[in-house]
Every structure is written in C-alpha cells, then in structure tokens.
Amino acid sequence: MTALQPVTSESRLREAFGCFPSGVTAVCALIDGRPHGMAASSFTSVSLSPPLVSICIQRTSSTWPRLRDRRRLGLSVLAEGQDEACLKLSARHGDRFRDISWQTGPDSSVFITGSSAWLECSLEEEVPAGDHLIALLRIHGPAHGGEPAPGVPRQPLPPARRRLSPPVGHREPP
C-alpha cells in the first residue's frame, strides 16, 4: 500500500505539483502604449465550444489587476529556449520586456516572439481558488509557431520541480 502523509507544508505540495508538467504562458497587453505582462503556469485547455483555456494566478499579483480588464490579452505558450523570458516575466521588479522580442496583435494584445502558440483572449470568468485565482479565458484567435527547422517541432516550455526543464524523455541533439 502507498503511504501518504497529511499536507503539513507548502513545500511538500510544491514538490508533488512539480512532478507533472503544465504549460508555461506569458499573458500580455499594451497599456498606455507600453507592454505589460506576466508569466502564468497551470495553463490548460478547457473547452472547444465555447473556446476556453485557463491559467492560475497568485492572488498577490500586482500585474493581473492591470491586465484583467483589457479588451484583449495576448497569451503566448512559451517554447523551449524561452527560459529567460519566463524568468523576466516572473520578476517582481524591473523591465520585464527588456531584451524580449514581442509583437502586438489586434486590440493591443502582446505576443512573445518564438513561442509555440499564441492565443488572443479575453477574460470570461475568474474563480477564487485558495491563494490563487483561476482565470477562464475565451479564445478569439489562435495561431501556432509552426516549425523552426524542418522536422523539428517547436516544443512548449514545461516547468518541473520549481525549475524549468525539458520534457521527460527529451534528448539534446548530438
């Protein structure tokens, strides 16, 4: 029989949550002509009809209150090799977009160049969930990054054990 222990600390939960990958995204928009954004994890598809995805956001986020009311948000599914962009977009201070290539979409959405997929979204609903909020986002327009080189698909950037790492079974080319 598997021995399970009661939840006694956040660090034990983080360790367990880090055992499975979920998508890492950047959620961004132009505000007063400047890009604003943040990294968000626990990204998942929710529904095809209506087209919905979800992300989880810490309730303590100071960026989400500025983004949530935008007409459109750019959601970029970060790809392998975008670790630095993820770390910058997760920072509490400083210029999060310094040295990050980005482009605008319709209605002031912002997308990170080189991501594996882009979704133009709007906030459909927000659900309180403990120390996080679950944001259900309605998709208005999808696009994907295609292939950076023939036969080599652009892989999403998965988090694991609180650090960024390649997917299980991934091997670096010789």
Side-chain angles (χ1 to χ4, degrees):
M1 178 194 293
T2 301
L4 301 175
Q5 299 177 2
V7 176
T8 56
S9 71
E10 288 182 8
S11 63
R12 291 193 69 103
L13 274 177
R14 281 192 180 120
E15 188 175 303
F17 291 166
C19 290
F20 58 92
S22 66
V24 179
T25 62
V27 182
C28 309
L30 285 179
I31 300 174
D32 298 326
R34 296 189 53 192
H36 290 260
M38 61 187 217
S41 62
S42 299
F43 166 74
T44 191
S45 58
V46 174
S47 172
L48 293 173
S49 182
L52 298 171
V53 294
S54 69
I55 55 172
C56 292
I57 302 154
Q58 288 183 340
R59 285 181 180 257
T60 57
S61 171
S62 59
T63 306
W64 180 242
R66 293 187 305 238
L67 293 172
R68 73 160 44 104
D69 294 327
R70 307 312 302 172
R71 178 170 154 72
R72 295 287 188 262
L73 299 168
L75 189 142
S76 302
V77 179
L78 298 179
E80 283 183 311
Q82 291 187 306
D83 306 61
E84 191 66 31
C86 180
L87 292 173
K88 285 182 180 182
L89 290 164
S90 299
R92 294 207 180 265
H93 305 288
D95 181 358
R96 292 182 179 176
F97 287 85
R98 183 178 179 186
D99 300 325
I100 294 178
S101 179
W102 56 274
Q103 53 196 315
T104 58
D107 293 316
S108 297
S109 53
V110 171
F111 299 97
I112 305 302
T113 305
S115 296
S116 60
W118 300 278
L119 303 172
E120 187 172 61
C121 303
S122 62
L123 180 62
E124 179 82 6
E125 187 176 346
E126 215 173 62
V127 180
D131 59 1
H132 279 67
L133 298 168
I134 300 170
L136 289 172
L137 303 175
R138 180 177 289 264
I139 302 167
H140 299 282
H144 64 87
E147 295 186 2
V152 182
R154 185 171 284 141
Q155 296 293 316
L157 176 67
R161 298 191 189 276
R162 297 185 57 204
R163 70 185 191 290
L164 304 173
S165 66
V168 174
H170 173 79
R171 292 194 180 126
E172 291 296 319

